[in-house]
Amino acid sequence: QVQLVESGGGLVQPGGSLRLSCVVSGSIFSMHAMGWYRQAPGKQREVVAAVTSGGSTNYRDSVKGRFSISRDNNKNTVYLQMNSLKPEDTAVYYCNALPPFSTAGYVEVWGQGTLVTVSS
């Protein structure tokens, strides 16, 4: 069973920075494209950044130039460096594969997420 454990969230002022981490177990991590998703209150979950198994990256327009995704296949870990944070970045952040990991019964598997709050 895949497990995803996110960490690194917190309260930060506008313009500040945070680095999120996500450790993945129970899967051949290096074979999967990985992404960071976020879900703000009352909104649908969205992908904000992605990194392929080969290290190519892609970003949602609203975070381009501010967020940077990376991975360490030796540590089964994916990171999200977030700079110049804005109040609209406030959300619970999750990592997962692209598409998300799922059980044999096709139920998506998610971690607990990590809350990022950007506020003065």
Side-chain angles (χ1 to χ4, degrees), residues 13-28:
Q13 291 186 342
S17 298
L18 284 173
R19 189 191 194 210
L20 307 183
S21 300
C22 174
V23 179
V24 182
S25 60
S27 175
I28 305 176

Side-chain angles (χ1 to χ4, degrees), residues 21-120:
S21 300
C22 174
V23 179
V24 182
S25 60
S27 175
I28 305 176
F29 175 79
S30 62
M31 294 179 60
H32 295 278
M34 294 296 299
W36 280 95
Y37 302 68
R38 69 185 179 189
Q39 187 166 21
K43 295 188 177 182
Q44 289 193 334
R45 191 175 289 165
E46 61 185 18
V47 178
V48 295
V51 58
T52 68
S53 57
S56 297
T57 58
N58 202 4
Y59 300 92
R60 190 171 199 85
D61 284 348
S62 60
V63 307
K64 281 181 180 177
R66 301 189 297 120
F67 289 13
S68 177
I69 188 171
S70 60
R71 66 191 296 162
D72 185 338
N73 289 337
N74 292 324
K75 296 182 178 180
N76 283 12
T77 302
V78 60
Y79 304 97
L80 186 68
Q81 177 67 43
M82 305 187 295
N83 299 324
S84 302
L85 282 160
K86 303 175 179 180
E88 51 264 42
D89 295 318
T90 295
V92 178
Y93 284 72
Y94 304 87
C95 77
N96 212 323
L98 290 160
F101 292 116
S102 62
T103 67
Y106 303 104
V107 176
E108 291 184 351
V109 177
W110 293 89
Q112 82 289 349
T114 187
L115 176 62
V116 173
T117 304
V118 185
S119 175
S120 54

